[in-house]
């Protein structure tokens, strides 16, 4: 039976006073660095001026949102964000799962470890270096530009061509995350009971049949969770990478919501209020999507983020 | 057990396919390494993928990189930032994880929510920038170290590990009269060396590779970490970043070599570190670690 609240508070303070004291700096960090900026969201409804500050800047209501939704940028940014995310989902999921299945079929432990070690490597290369390599390989006369040139007849820089930007972005992402992405599937695969395979072999099932009827069905829950959660974060494209790779000539295909926020808010302009409003639109949609995805995932598979 | 012919063919194909995948993963990194020790004149003329260094092997790129004031300072800055941010992050994470793993803590759920919510929603780029600006932290070391020094994800991983320690262990220490801080330093921390090592390595990798918030908050070049210099050298292809002196033709050759040398120098520590944490990756990516 629960004791009355006052007694519980008294006991908690007596027993855990020092725990709360230890937590003070941590709370200052989270409230200061994460929750205070949430209050700063009011800028989105103001015409914020540095000189006037939060308290004296004039209120403008939903003006910035109306301006954003009415601008040509709104649809373009939305289309690019979805397009890049969907392309990356469509390519990375099958490839990652296939790689995990192939690794799982290896019997030689040392060889498996060797392949894993090498395929995880790109994950630890910094984004700056990856983008530097991408630029180097796709510049006019670069390795990949030349390869593509065999088919198209021109070895111009690929990154400044709007038709290629999204593919380059997705492909370099897959290069970096493919190996690391298999970990979650490999751990699910290692959890499959060997007895199931034993029984299947008794029934005369070959390796292909075993894969089809045991391995893949056992992976389905993991795949569903990963897929649902990935779709829940469909609005978040790695904009830091976009910023490193894009240039004005490919904005029409490369610009996503967060790179636009960065550009008009910090890089080229100082439209603090308008860009905060654009950012807020994205954060809210993100939050709704991830909560929905979590709900769906729990319904479908019993596993969820929280 | 006897293997059918189909199986044997599959095995051979599988080994070859995986070898190709591994090659694709490694080739660009290996290319950079080879380029960094190649003859720069031949390198400029060469258009393909390098499988081995071309021309006479030279260490000039590394020599010039290590003599370059900006690069050495950037490297030192990165070392300082990574060390201090990791220490601060580890202290905060251990303390928080210990608090959240106390089953009798009255505000446990509220505190967990307070932390976890920041993973789902944040004020956004501009309000956070304005906060740092209003605090007069632009162009200070604090603007580099403090943001993102605590990762909720890492805290939750640690908490899960601390919670799995036997209750008796901590209760015994408490009964012996040890305060919470003493219990933490003398019982919990020594019993969790493995996971603590992993979490610190996660922090180290994160801070070593981070660049974006520094790029927004810092314009003073003397504070630049290595990654921002790398951005100028390899992404923007800036001519002035290195402040190299010499003849024009020589200069563009030198720049090419130094560029690759700096990439190798910056990537090397992570390549050395990661095989050690490889076996713990599974812990790190397991789903449900945040779930209560």
């Amino acid at each position: 039976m629960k004791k009355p609240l006052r007694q519980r508070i008294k006991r908690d303070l007596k027993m855990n006073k020092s725990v709360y004291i230890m937590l003070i700096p941590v709370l200052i960090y989270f409230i200061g660095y994460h929750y205070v900026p949430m209050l700063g969201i009011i800028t989105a409804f103001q015409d914020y001026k540095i000189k006037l500050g939060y308290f004296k800047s004039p209120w403008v209501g939903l003006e910035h949102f109306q301006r954003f939704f009415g601008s040509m940028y709104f649809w373009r940014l939305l289309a690019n964000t979805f397009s890049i995310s969907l392309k990356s989902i469509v390519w990375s999921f099958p490839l990652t799962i296939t790689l995990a299945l192939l690794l799982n079929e290896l019997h030689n432990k040392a060889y498996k470890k060797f392949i894993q070690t090498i395929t995880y490597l790109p994950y630890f290369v910094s984004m700056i270096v990856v983008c530097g390599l991408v630029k180097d390989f796709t510049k006019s006369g670069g390795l990949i530009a030349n390869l593509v040139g065999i088919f198209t007849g021109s070895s111009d820089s690929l990154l400044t061509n709007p038709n290629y930007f999204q593919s380059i972005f997705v492909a370099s992402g897959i290069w970096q995350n493919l190996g690391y992405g298999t970990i979650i599937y490999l751990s699910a695969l290692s959890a499959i009971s060997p007895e199931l395979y034993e029984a299947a072999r008794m029934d005369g099932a070959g390796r292909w049949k075993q894969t089809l009827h045991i391995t893949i069905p056992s992976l389905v829950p993991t795949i569903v969770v990963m897929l649902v959660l990935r779709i829940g974060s469909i609005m978040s494209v790695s904009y830091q990478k976009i910023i490193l790779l894009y240039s004005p000539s490919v904005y029409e295909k490369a610009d996503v919501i967060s790179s636009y926020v960065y550009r008009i808010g910090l890089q080229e302009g100082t439209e603090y209020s308008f860009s905060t409003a654009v950012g807020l639109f994205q954060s809210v949609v993100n939050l709704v999507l991830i909560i929905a995805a979590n709900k769906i995932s729990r319904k479908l598979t019993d596993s969820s983020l929280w | 057990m006897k293997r059918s012919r189909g199986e044997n063919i599959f095995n051979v194909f599988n080994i070859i396919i995986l070898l190709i995948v591994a090659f694709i993963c490694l080739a660009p990194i290996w290319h950079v390494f080879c380029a960094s020790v190649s003859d720069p004149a031949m390198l400029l003329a060469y258009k393909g993928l390098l499988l081995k260094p071309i021309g006479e092997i030279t260490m000039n790129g590394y020599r010039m990189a290590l003599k370059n004031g900006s690069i050495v300072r950037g490297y030192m800055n990165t070392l300082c930032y990574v060390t201090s941010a990791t220490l601060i992050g580890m202290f905060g994470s251990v303390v928080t994880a210990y608090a959240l793993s106390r089953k009798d803590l009255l505000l446990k759920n509220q505190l967990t929510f307070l932390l976890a919510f920041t993973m789902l929603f944040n004020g956004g780029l501009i309000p956070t920038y304005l906060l740092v600006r209003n605090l007069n932290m632009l162009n200070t070391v604090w603007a580099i170290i403090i943001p993102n020094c605590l990762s909720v994800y890492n805290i939750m991983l640690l908490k899960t590990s601390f919670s799995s320690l036997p209750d008796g262990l901590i209760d015994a220490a408490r009964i012996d009269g040890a305060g919470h801080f003493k219990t933490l330093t003398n019982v919990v921390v020594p019993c969790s060396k493995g996971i603590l090592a992993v979490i610190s390595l996660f922090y180290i990798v994160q801070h070593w590779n981070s660049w974006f918030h520094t790029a927004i908050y810092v314009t003073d070049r003397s504070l630049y970490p290595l990654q921002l210099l790398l951005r100028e050298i390899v992404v923007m292809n800036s001519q002035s970043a290195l402040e190299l002196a010499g003849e024009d033709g020589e200069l563009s050759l030198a720049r090419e070599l130094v560029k690759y040398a700096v990439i190798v120098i910056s990537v090397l520590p992570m390549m050395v570190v990661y095989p050690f944490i490889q076996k713990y990756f599974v812990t790190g990516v397991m789903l449900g670690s945040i779930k209560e």
Side-chain angles (χ1 to χ4, degrees), chain A residues 140-156:
Chain A
S140 172
L143 184 67
I144 298 174
N146 280 342
L147 271 179
V148 174
I150 298 173
F151 301 101
T152 60
S154 93
S155 67
D156 290 348

Side-chain angles (χ1 to χ4, degrees), chain A residues 128-146:
Chain A
I128 302 264
V129 170
V130 171
C131 292
L133 291 179
V134 167
K135 283 210 156 175
D136 207 36
F137 287 142
T138 58
K139 73 181 178 204
S140 172
L143 184 67
I144 298 174
N146 280 342

Side-chain angles (χ1 to χ4, degrees), chain A residues 3-301:
Chain A
K3 287 175 195 157
L5 187 65
R6 249 182 79 180
Q7 247 179 324
R8 279 182 17 229
I9 294 177
K10 237 179 165 177
R11 183 182 167 276
D12 191 46
L13 277 180
K14 197 175 141 219
M15 295 288 294
N16 294 322
K17 201 171 117 201
S18 50
V19 176
Y20 288 115
I21 292 174
M22 288 194 286
L23 275 179
I24 289 173
V26 176
L27 290 177
I28 291 177
Y29 168 81
F30 276 101
I31 291 170
Y33 189 69
H34 289 280
Y35 284 90
V36 171
M38 286 186 209
L39 295 178
I41 286 174
I42 57 161
T43 334
F45 307 96
Q46 292 179 322
D47 188 16
Y48 182 82
K49 295 273 185 300
I50 291 269
K51 270 187 229 146
L52 297 173
Y54 291 112
F55 298 107
K56 289 184 185 152
S57 293
W59 292 90
V60 297
L62 296 174
E63 197 189 291
H64 299 302
F65 293 92
Q66 281 160 352
R67 197 180 122 205
F68 177 56
F69 294 139
S71 78
M72 61 155 292
Y73 283 105
F74 175 66
W75 292 108
R76 189 171 96 175
L77 297 173
L78 215 55
N80 286 341
T81 308
F82 277 105
S83 162
I84 292 178
S85 271
L86 283 176
K87 277 182 192 166
S88 115
I89 293 173
V90 164
W91 284 101
S92 71
F93 265 82
L95 286 174
T96 312
I97 294 162
T98 314
L99 181 61
L101 287 174
L102 291 180
L103 279 169
N104 190 52
E105 292 297 326
L106 280 182
H107 294 296
N108 186 330
K109 285 255 158 61
Y111 186 65
K112 183 175 173 186
K113 183 98 200 283
F114 167 75
I115 299 285
Q116 280 178 294
T117 307
I118 291 179
T119 49
Y120 295 169
L121 206 69
Y123 184 81
F124 291 87
V125 177
S126 76
M127 186 186 288
I128 302 264
V129 170
V130 171
C131 292
L133 291 179
V134 167
K135 283 210 156 175
D136 207 36
F137 287 142
T138 58
K139 73 181 178 204
S140 172
L143 184 67
I144 298 174
N146 280 342
L147 271 179
V148 174
I150 298 173
F151 301 101
T152 60
S154 93
S155 67
D156 290 348
S157 165
L158 301 177
L159 216 45
T160 48
N161 185 337
N163 295 328
Y164 293 132
F165 184 88
Q166 296 191 354
S167 311
I168 296 173
F169 183 87
V170 170
S172 57
I174 288 177
W175 177 77
Q176 188 161 24
N177 296 311
L178 183 67
Y180 199 78
T182 61
I183 296 175
I184 186 93
Y185 298 108
L186 285 172
S187 78
L189 285 170
S190 67
I192 302 174
S193 152
E195 286 166 23
L196 278 175
Y197 290 109
E198 202 70 46
R201 266 199 296 274
M202 294 289 210
D203 292 343
R207 245 164 88 198
W208 175 240
K209 280 244 162 101
Q210 291 175 29
T211 307
L212 215 57
H213 296 293
I214 299 174
T215 316
I216 293 179
S218 321
L219 267 191
V220 166
T222 315
I223 298 174
V224 172
V225 179
M226 299 299 284
L227 197 59
V228 169
L229 295 178
R230 179 66 188 83
I231 292 171
S233 59
I234 200 161
M235 290 282 277
S236 8
V237 171
S238 169
Y239 67 103
Q240 301 186 3
K241 209 171 122 189
I242 300 253
I243 291 164
L244 289 174
L245 290 177
Y246 77 173
S247 56
S249 60
V250 291
Y251 280 172
E252 52 173 303
K253 288 287 176 198
D255 208 10
V256 294
I257 300 176
S258 1
S259 61
Y260 179 67
V261 170
Y262 167 73
R263 206 169 62 245
I264 56 166
L266 293 178
Q267 193 188 19
E268 285 169 8
T270 49
E271 292 191 63
Y272 294 134
S273 284
F274 180 64
S275 47
T276 304
V278 177
L280 178 61
F281 162 72
Q282 179 181 17
S283 304
V284 170
V285 177
N286 244 339
L287 181 66
V288 172
L289 282 177
I290 194 81
I291 289 175
N294 198 58
K295 275 225 167 87
I296 295 171
S297 165
R298 200 179 326 176
K299 269 234 169 83
L300 288 177
T301 62

Side-chain angles (χ1 to χ4, degrees), chain B residues 204-218:
Chain B
I204 290 173
V205 175
Q206 176 204 326
H207 294 308
W208 186 274
N209 288 338
S210 88
W211 65 280
F212 187 68
H213 72 270
T214 322
I216 321 178
Y217 300 145
V218 175

